[in-house]
mmCIF file with all atom_site columns, all heavy atoms in Angstrom:
data_model
loop_
_atom_site.group_PDB
_atom_site.id
_atom_site.type_symbol
_atom_site.label_atom_id
_atom_site.label_alt_id
_atom_site.label_comp_id
_atom_site.label_asym_id
_atom_site.label_entity_id
_atom_site.label_seq_id
_atom_site.pdbx_PDB_ins_code
_atom_site.Cartn_x
_atom_site.Cartn_y
_atom_site.Cartn_z
_atom_site.occupancy
_atom_site.B_iso_or_equiv
_atom_site.pdbx_formal_charge
_atom_site.auth_seq_id
_atom_site.auth_comp_id
_atom_site.auth_asym_id
_atom_site.auth_atom_id
_atom_site.pdbx_PDB_model_num
ATOM 1   N N   . HIS A 1 149 ? -4.868 -21.215 8.901  1.00 0.00 ? 167 HIS A N   1
ATOM 2   C CA  . HIS A 1 149 ? -3.784 -21.975 8.390  1.00 0.00 ? 167 HIS A CA  1
ATOM 3   C C   . HIS A 1 149 ? -4.121 -23.476 8.298  1.00 0.00 ? 167 HIS A C   1
ATOM 4   O O   . HIS A 1 149 ? -3.326 -24.268 7.800  1.00 0.00 ? 167 HIS A O   1
ATOM 5   C CB  . HIS A 1 149 ? -2.475 -21.770 9.162  1.00 0.00 ? 167 HIS A CB  1
ATOM 6   C CG  . HIS A 1 149 ? -1.916 -20.365 8.988  1.00 0.00 ? 167 HIS A CG  1
ATOM 7   N ND1 . HIS A 1 149 ? -2.224 -19.393 9.859  1.00 0.00 ? 167 HIS A ND1 1
ATOM 8   C CD2 . HIS A 1 149 ? -1.239 -19.769 7.984  1.00 0.00 ? 167 HIS A CD2 1
ATOM 9   C CE1 . HIS A 1 149 ? -1.679 -18.300 9.442  1.00 0.00 ? 167 HIS A CE1 1
ATOM 10  N NE2 . HIS A 1 149 ? -1.042 -18.505 8.360  1.00 0.00 ? 167 HIS A NE2 1
ATOM 11  N N   . ASN A 1 150 ? -5.282 -23.823 8.794  1.00 0.00 ? 168 ASN A N   1
ATOM 12  C CA  . ASN A 1 150 ? -5.757 -25.145 8.817  1.00 0.00 ? 168 ASN A CA  1
ATOM 13  C C   . ASN A 1 150 ? -4.669 -26.104 9.455  1.00 0.00 ? 168 ASN A C   1
ATOM 14  O O   . ASN A 1 150 ? -4.379 -27.214 8.919  1.00 0.00 ? 168 ASN A O   1
ATOM 15  C CB  . ASN A 1 150 ? -6.084 -25.625 7.378  1.00 0.00 ? 168 ASN A CB  1
ATOM 16  C CG  . ASN A 1 150 ? -7.017 -26.816 7.442  1.00 0.00 ? 168 ASN A CG  1
ATOM 17  O OD1 . ASN A 1 150 ? -7.778 -27.009 8.382  1.00 0.00 ? 168 ASN A OD1 1
ATOM 18  N ND2 . ASN A 1 150 ? -6.909 -27.630 6.352  1.00 0.00 ? 168 ASN A ND2 1
ATOM 19  N N   . LYS A 1 151 ? -4.005 -25.570 10.464 1.00 0.00 ? 169 LYS A N   1
ATOM 20  C CA  . LYS A 1 151 ? -3.005 -26.379 11.127 1.00 0.00 ? 169 LYS A CA  1
ATOM 21  C C   . LYS A 1 151 ? -3.148 -26.328 12.656 1.00 0.00 ? 169 LYS A C   1
ATOM 22  O O   . LYS A 1 151 ? -3.591 -25.315 13.170 1.00 0.00 ? 169 LYS A O   1
ATOM 23  C CB  . LYS A 1 151 ? -1.577 -25.824 10.775 1.00 0.00 ? 169 LYS A CB  1
ATOM 24  C CG  . LYS A 1 151 ? -1.058 -26.379 9.567  1.00 0.00 ? 169 LYS A CG  1
ATOM 25  C CD  . LYS A 1 151 ? 0.475  -26.113 9.448  1.00 0.00 ? 169 LYS A CD  1
ATOM 26  C CE  . LYS A 1 151 ? 1.043  -26.650 8.097  1.00 0.00 ? 169 LYS A CE  1
ATOM 27  N NZ  . LYS A 1 151 ? 1.923  -25.662 7.448  1.00 0.00 ? 169 LYS A NZ  1
ATOM 28  N N   . LYS A 1 152 ? -2.803 -27.430 13.276 1.00 0.00 ? 170 LYS A N   1
ATOM 29  C CA  . LYS A 1 152 ? -2.862 -27.391 14.755 1.00 0.00 ? 170 LYS A CA  1
ATOM 30  C C   . LYS A 1 152 ? -1.822 -26.545 15.317 1.00 0.00 ? 170 LYS A C   1
ATOM 31  O O   . LYS A 1 152 ? -0.669 -26.612 14.952 1.00 0.00 ? 170 LYS A O   1
ATOM 32  C CB  . LYS A 1 152 ? -2.658 -28.884 15.330 1.00 0.00 ? 170 LYS A CB  1
ATOM 33  C CG  . LYS A 1 152 ? -3.914 -29.719 15.290 1.00 0.00 ? 170 LYS A CG  1
ATOM 34  C CD  . LYS A 1 152 ? -3.668 -30.986 16.160 1.00 0.00 ? 170 LYS A CD  1
ATOM 35  C CE  . LYS A 1 152 ? -4.966 -31.736 16.178 1.00 0.00 ? 170 LYS A CE  1
ATOM 36  N NZ  . LYS A 1 152 ? -4.811 -33.201 16.587 1.00 0.00 ? 170 LYS A NZ  1
ATOM 37  N N   . PRO A 1 153 ? -2.196 -25.741 16.279 1.00 0.00 ? 171 PRO A N   1
ATOM 38  C CA  . PRO A 1 153 ? -1.160 -24.853 16.945 1.00 0.00 ? 171 PRO A CA  1
ATOM 39  C C   . PRO A 1 153 ? -0.263 -25.752 17.794 1.00 0.00 ? 171 PRO A C   1
ATOM 40  O O   . PRO A 1 153 ? -0.692 -26.905 18.274 1.00 0.00 ? 171 PRO A O   1
ATOM 41  C CB  . PRO A 1 153 ? -2.012 -23.887 17.760 1.00 0.00 ? 171 PRO A CB  1
ATOM 42  C CG  . PRO A 1 153 ? -3.296 -24.548 17.949 1.00 0.00 ? 171 PRO A CG  1
ATOM 43  C CD  . PRO A 1 153 ? -3.538 -25.435 16.812 1.00 0.00 ? 171 PRO A CD  1
ATOM 44  N N   . ILE A 1 154 ? 0.862  -25.233 18.183 1.00 0.00 ? 172 ILE A N   1
ATOM 45  C CA  . ILE A 1 154 ? 1.783  -25.972 19.116 1.00 0.00 ? 172 ILE A CA  1
ATOM 46  C C   . ILE A 1 154 ? 1.627  -25.388 20.506 1.00 0.00 ? 172 ILE A C   1
ATOM 47  O O   . ILE A 1 154 ? 1.398  -24.262 20.684 1.00 0.00 ? 172 ILE A O   1
ATOM 48  C CB  . ILE A 1 154 ? 3.272  -25.955 18.678 1.00 0.00 ? 172 ILE A CB  1
ATOM 49  C CG1 . ILE A 1 154 ? 3.740  -24.532 18.382 1.00 0.00 ? 172 ILE A CG1 1
ATOM 50  C CG2 . ILE A 1 154 ? 3.384  -26.715 17.340 1.00 0.00 ? 172 ILE A CG2 1
ATOM 51  C CD1 . ILE A 1 154 ? 5.186  -24.431 18.039 1.00 0.00 ? 172 ILE A CD1 1
ATOM 52  N N   . LEU A 1 155 ? 1.831  -26.307 21.463 1.00 0.00 ? 173 LEU A N   1
ATOM 53  C CA  . LEU A 1 155 ? 1.795  -25.731 22.882 1.00 0.00 ? 173 LEU A CA  1
ATOM 54  C C   . LEU A 1 155 ? 3.176  -25.219 23.263 1.00 0.00 ? 173 LEU A C   1
ATOM 55  O O   . LEU A 1 155 ? 4.181  -25.864 23.137 1.00 0.00 ? 173 LEU A O   1
ATOM 56  C CB  . LEU A 1 155 ? 1.368  -26.996 23.776 1.00 0.00 ? 173 LEU A CB  1
ATOM 57  C CG  . LEU A 1 155 ? 1.198  -26.544 25.245 1.00 0.00 ? 173 LEU A CG  1
ATOM 58  C CD1 . LEU A 1 155 ? -0.077 -25.779 25.426 1.00 0.00 ? 173 LEU A CD1 1
ATOM 59  C CD2 . LEU A 1 155 ? 1.243  -27.791 26.144 1.00 0.00 ? 173 LEU A CD2 1
ATOM 60  N N   . ILE A 1 156 ? 3.119  -23.999 23.764 1.00 0.00 ? 174 ILE A N   1
ATOM 61  C CA  . ILE A 1 156 ? 4.374  -23.433 24.198 1.00 0.00 ? 174 ILE A CA  1
ATOM 62  C C   . ILE A 1 156 ? 4.252  -23.177 25.686 1.00 0.00 ? 174 ILE A C   1
ATOM 63  O O   . ILE A 1 156 ? 3.269  -22.552 26.210 1.00 0.00 ? 174 ILE A O   1
ATOM 64  C CB  . ILE A 1 156 ? 4.655  -22.111 23.496 1.00 0.00 ? 174 ILE A CB  1
ATOM 65  C CG1 . ILE A 1 156 ? 5.104  -22.478 22.079 1.00 0.00 ? 174 ILE A CG1 1
ATOM 66  C CG2 . ILE A 1 156 ? 5.709  -21.351 24.198 1.00 0.00 ? 174 ILE A CG2 1
ATOM 67  C CD1 . ILE A 1 156 ? 5.401  -21.264 21.075 1.00 0.00 ? 174 ILE A CD1 1
ATOM 68  N N   . GLU A 1 157 ? 5.278  -23.555 26.436 1.00 0.00 ? 175 GLU A N   1
ATOM 69  C CA  . GLU A 1 157 ? 5.315  -23.400 27.934 1.00 0.00 ? 175 GLU A CA  1
ATOM 70  C C   . GLU A 1 157 ? 6.677  -22.823 28.252 1.00 0.00 ? 175 GLU A C   1
ATOM 71  O O   . GLU A 1 157 ? 7.591  -23.536 28.147 1.00 0.00 ? 175 GLU A O   1
ATOM 72  C CB  . GLU A 1 157 ? 4.980  -24.681 28.564 1.00 0.00 ? 175 GLU A CB  1
ATOM 73  C CG  . GLU A 1 157 ? 4.692  -24.501 30.083 1.00 0.00 ? 175 GLU A CG  1
ATOM 74  C CD  . GLU A 1 157 ? 4.184  -25.797 30.717 1.00 0.00 ? 175 GLU A CD  1
ATOM 75  O OE1 . GLU A 1 157 ? 4.158  -26.828 30.002 1.00 0.00 ? 175 GLU A OE1 1
ATOM 76  O OE2 . GLU A 1 157 ? 3.891  -25.787 31.942 1.00 0.00 ? 175 GLU A OE2 1
ATOM 77  N N   . GLU A 1 158 ? 6.767  -21.632 28.529 1.00 0.00 ? 176 GLU A N   1
ATOM 78  C CA  . GLU A 1 158 ? 8.012  -21.054 28.883 1.00 0.00 ? 176 GLU A CA  1
ATOM 79  C C   . GLU A 1 158 ? 7.927  -19.758 29.631 1.00 0.00 ? 176 GLU A C   1
ATOM 80  O O   . GLU A 1 158 ? 6.829  -19.185 29.801 1.00 0.00 ? 176 GLU A O   1
ATOM 81  C CB  . GLU A 1 158 ? 8.951  -20.879 27.622 1.00 0.00 ? 176 GLU A CB  1
ATOM 82  C CG  . GLU A 1 158 ? 8.298  -20.305 26.465 1.00 0.00 ? 176 GLU A CG  1
ATOM 83  C CD  . GLU A 1 158 ? 9.293  -20.203 25.217 1.00 0.00 ? 176 GLU A CD  1
ATOM 84  O OE1 . GLU A 1 158 ? 9.786  -21.294 24.856 1.00 0.00 ? 176 GLU A OE1 1
ATOM 85  O OE2 . GLU A 1 158 ? 9.503  -19.143 24.761 1.00 0.00 ? 176 GLU A OE2 1
ATOM 86  N N   . GLU A 1 159 ? 8.993  -19.250 30.138 1.00 0.00 ? 177 GLU A N   1
ATOM 87  C CA  . GLU A 1 159 ? 9.041  -18.014 30.802 1.00 0.00 ? 177 GLU A CA  1
ATOM 88  C C   . GLU A 1 159 ? 9.412  -16.839 29.759 1.00 0.00 ? 177 GLU A C   1
ATOM 89  O O   . GLU A 1 159 ? 10.454 -17.027 29.225 1.00 0.00 ? 177 GLU A O   1
ATOM 90  C CB  . GLU A 1 159 ? 10.007 -17.999 32.043 1.00 0.00 ? 177 GLU A CB  1
ATOM 91  C CG  . GLU A 1 159 ? 9.801  -16.724 32.916 1.00 0.00 ? 177 GLU A CG  1
ATOM 92  C CD  . GLU A 1 159 ? 10.582 -16.755 34.111 1.00 0.00 ? 177 GLU A CD  1
ATOM 93  O OE1 . GLU A 1 159 ? 11.814 -17.145 34.109 1.00 0.00 ? 177 GLU A OE1 1
ATOM 94  O OE2 . GLU A 1 159 ? 10.081 -16.409 35.250 1.00 0.00 ? 177 GLU A OE2 1
ATOM 95  N N   . ASN A 1 160 ? 8.512  -15.896 29.581 1.00 0.00 ? 178 ASN A N   1
ATOM 96  C CA  . ASN A 1 160 ? 8.707  -14.924 28.647 1.00 0.00 ? 178 ASN A CA  1
ATOM 97  C C   . ASN A 1 160 ? 8.599  -13.547 29.127 1.00 0.00 ? 178 ASN A C   1
ATOM 98  O O   . ASN A 1 160 ? 7.966  -13.294 30.181 1.00 0.00 ? 178 ASN A O   1
ATOM 99  C CB  . ASN A 1 160 ? 7.720  -15.030 27.449 1.00 0.00 ? 178 ASN A CB  1
ATOM 100 C CG  . ASN A 1 160 ? 7.866  -16.326 26.721 1.00 0.00 ? 178 ASN A CG  1
ATOM 101 O OD1 . ASN A 1 160 ? 6.914  -16.968 26.236 1.00 0.00 ? 178 ASN A OD1 1
ATOM 102 N ND2 . ASN A 1 160 ? 9.097  -16.818 26.493 1.00 0.00 ? 178 ASN A ND2 1
ATOM 103 N N   . TRP A 1 161 ? 9.108  -12.532 28.422 1.00 0.00 ? 179 TRP A N   1
ATOM 104 C CA  . TRP A 1 161 ? 8.840  -11.198 28.691 1.00 0.00 ? 179 TRP A CA  1
ATOM 105 C C   . TRP A 1 161 ? 7.452  -10.751 28.115 1.00 0.00 ? 179 TRP A C   1
ATOM 106 O O   . TRP A 1 161 ? 7.168  -11.198 26.990 1.00 0.00 ? 179 TRP A O   1
ATOM 107 C CB  . TRP A 1 161 ? 9.915  -10.290 28.087 1.00 0.00 ? 179 TRP A CB  1
ATOM 108 C CG  . TRP A 1 161 ? 11.256 -10.489 28.750 1.00 0.00 ? 179 TRP A CG  1
ATOM 109 C CD1 . TRP A 1 161 ? 12.323 -11.283 28.333 1.00 0.00 ? 179 TRP A CD1 1
ATOM 110 C CD2 . TRP A 1 161 ? 11.754 -9.970  30.013 1.00 0.00 ? 179 TRP A CD2 1
ATOM 111 N NE1 . TRP A 1 161 ? 13.377 -11.197 29.190 1.00 0.00 ? 179 TRP A NE1 1
ATOM 112 C CE2 . TRP A 1 161 ? 12.995 -10.395 30.257 1.00 0.00 ? 179 TRP A CE2 1
ATOM 113 C CE3 . TRP A 1 161 ? 11.095 -9.151  31.012 1.00 0.00 ? 179 TRP A CE3 1
ATOM 114 C CZ2 . TRP A 1 161 ? 13.737 -10.046 31.321 1.00 0.00 ? 179 TRP A CZ2 1
ATOM 115 C CZ3 . TRP A 1 161 ? 11.820 -8.721  32.078 1.00 0.00 ? 179 TRP A CZ3 1
ATOM 116 C CH2 . TRP A 1 161 ? 13.104 -9.178  32.310 1.00 0.00 ? 179 TRP A CH2 1
ATOM 117 N N   . PHE A 1 162 ? 6.794  -9.962  28.806 1.00 0.00 ? 180 PHE A N   1
ATOM 118 C CA  . PHE A 1 162 ? 5.457  -9.483  28.463 1.00 0.00 ? 180 PHE A CA  1
ATOM 119 C C   . PHE A 1 162 ? 5.367  -7.987  28.309 1.00 0.00 ? 180 PHE A C   1
ATOM 120 O O   . PHE A 1 162 ? 6.135  -7.239  29.070 1.00 0.00 ? 180 PHE A O   1
ATOM 121 C CB  . PHE A 1 162 ? 4.446  -9.884  29.439 1.00 0.00 ? 180 PHE A CB  1
ATOM 122 C CG  . PHE A 1 162 ? 3.927  -11.303 29.196 1.00 0.00 ? 180 PHE A CG  1
ATOM 123 C CD1 . PHE A 1 162 ? 4.713  -12.414 29.378 1.00 0.00 ? 180 PHE A CD1 1
ATOM 124 C CD2 . PHE A 1 162 ? 2.612  -11.492 28.629 1.00 0.00 ? 180 PHE A CD2 1
ATOM 125 C CE1 . PHE A 1 162 ? 4.320  -13.707 29.167 1.00 0.00 ? 180 PHE A CE1 1
ATOM 126 C CE2 . PHE A 1 162 ? 2.171  -12.778 28.417 1.00 0.00 ? 180 PHE A CE2 1
ATOM 127 C CZ  . PHE A 1 162 ? 3.005  -13.872 28.659 1.00 0.00 ? 180 PHE A CZ  1
ATOM 128 N N   . LEU A 1 163 ? 4.667  -7.517  27.414 1.00 0.00 ? 181 LEU A N   1
ATOM 129 C CA  . LEU A 1 163 ? 4.372  -6.024  27.223 1.00 0.00 ? 181 LEU A CA  1
ATOM 130 C C   . LEU A 1 163 ? 2.973  -5.705  27.716 1.00 0.00 ? 181 LEU A C   1
ATOM 131 O O   . LEU A 1 163 ? 1.998  -6.311  27.442 1.00 0.00 ? 181 LEU A O   1
ATOM 132 C CB  . LEU A 1 163 ? 4.429  -5.639  25.675 1.00 0.00 ? 181 LEU A CB  1
ATOM 133 C CG  . LEU A 1 163 ? 4.267  -4.172  25.392 1.00 0.00 ? 181 LEU A CG  1
ATOM 134 C CD1 . LEU A 1 163 ? 5.378  -3.388  25.890 1.00 0.00 ? 181 LEU A CD1 1
ATOM 135 C CD2 . LEU A 1 163 ? 4.127  -4.048  23.855 1.00 0.00 ? 181 LEU A CD2 1
#
Side-chain angles (χ1 to χ4, degrees):
H167 295 94
N168 200 27
K169 273 197 182 136
K170 276 196 175 159
I172 53 175
L173 183 72
I174 287 179
E175 192 173 3
E176 45 183 59
E177 191 175 41
N178 295 141
W179 292 100
F180 275 70
L181 182 65

